[in-house]
Amino acid sequence: MTSPTLDSPCPSSTSETFSGSFNISIEEENPDDIFPVLEDPSSSMSCSHNIPKPPPVPSKAYTQNKHFKRLSQRCYVPNETLDTWDKLFKEAYGADVYICTEDGSCIPVHSSVLTVASPVLGKFLQQSKAKYGMRYIKIPGVPYEAVYTFIRFLYSSCSEKEEMKKFVLHLLVLSHSYSVPSLKRVCVYILEQGWITKENVVDVLQLARNCDAPRLSLICVRMIVKDFKAISSTDGWKVMKRVNPALEQELLEFVVEADSRKEERLKKKEEKKVYLQLYEAMEALLHICRDGCRTIGPRDKVFKGSQVACGFPACKGLETLVRHFSSCKTRVPGGCGHCKRMWQLLELHSRICNDLESCKVPLCRHLKEKMQQQTKKDEAKWPLLVSKVVAAKDTLGPISGRRSRFS
């Protein structure tokens, strides 16, 4: 962030006024130590008097009651019930439908179960015609094991963990195609738990969009934006670029937008850093002019010398800047950069200060009077800078605390 370059009045007639306000001990000056300010950078009733009122309900019990209330709204199925439905599927007793897979295999099932579990399969059953007392539904393009796992889930929500992971993409497609939201949630959860990689994220993204899984789609987009360089070189990206250029353009726009937001955050962070430095400089200047610090301070204060280190971060550099300003022979705009920063710092203080009667910062009243003579351009810049520096105070509780200790 580059802080605005602001011109400040620096009449030579005020030089003695500034220098005469301090008691400065001689110390070798190091220009590198100068602080770079302003530069680019409820009631109840009883029916019987004989019955005492019950004691108040403890907070813990109340919390537990709320917990039990939530539990009562849920449905818990015993393992025995799940086993019964799983057994019904595996033994296929009384089955009246065959699910046919790509390889010609058939899975016997019950039409009543399919109709309840999947409205899409139920509609298919209504439209199908029975042959020799059986109906047939074909599910093409999916391996037998994936179809078996899918139908088993419709019966009992049971499945083998390894089978679910192995056929999760097929199951995601089946859950969407045959409208089984409970299975879709399980598939999305499995994919979120480390299943997605740089090599398959583009494919999963396209599948997530086709299967109406917005959360999964968002996760994939974030992963692509975060590691765009590596993912854009994968085979999945190259295929997507060829068959779905619109999606590629959309992802590129996401990447550009993310980079812009990152740059904006960095810019605001740097701006905030500068305003914090300026506010710390304001605190340090007031501290030096009112209490003195180490080798510099007002005439009516004794030097602190080598006492406990100062709690103001900007104090050391500001001491050097004040010492230089009091002895510099140039002291004109454009002549000495250090002096120019000191004039700007003094004017910034004068615009923030509301204590005209007892302020000990040199030239504070004088600079307030000089504000009337400034151009409209300067008057447009200073209020904005002042508001930013004052706003920085809200993020500097410890600094404000340090200032109160010196009051």
Side-chain angles (χ1 to χ4, degrees), residues 201-217:
V201 63
V202 176
D203 297 329
V204 175
L205 172 61
Q206 296 178 87
L207 189 61
R209 292 196 168 196
N210 293 333
C211 294
D212 190 22
R215 175 182 169 86
L216 182 60
S217 177

Side-chain angles (χ1 to χ4, degrees), residues 44 52-56:
S44 60
K53 293 181 179 180

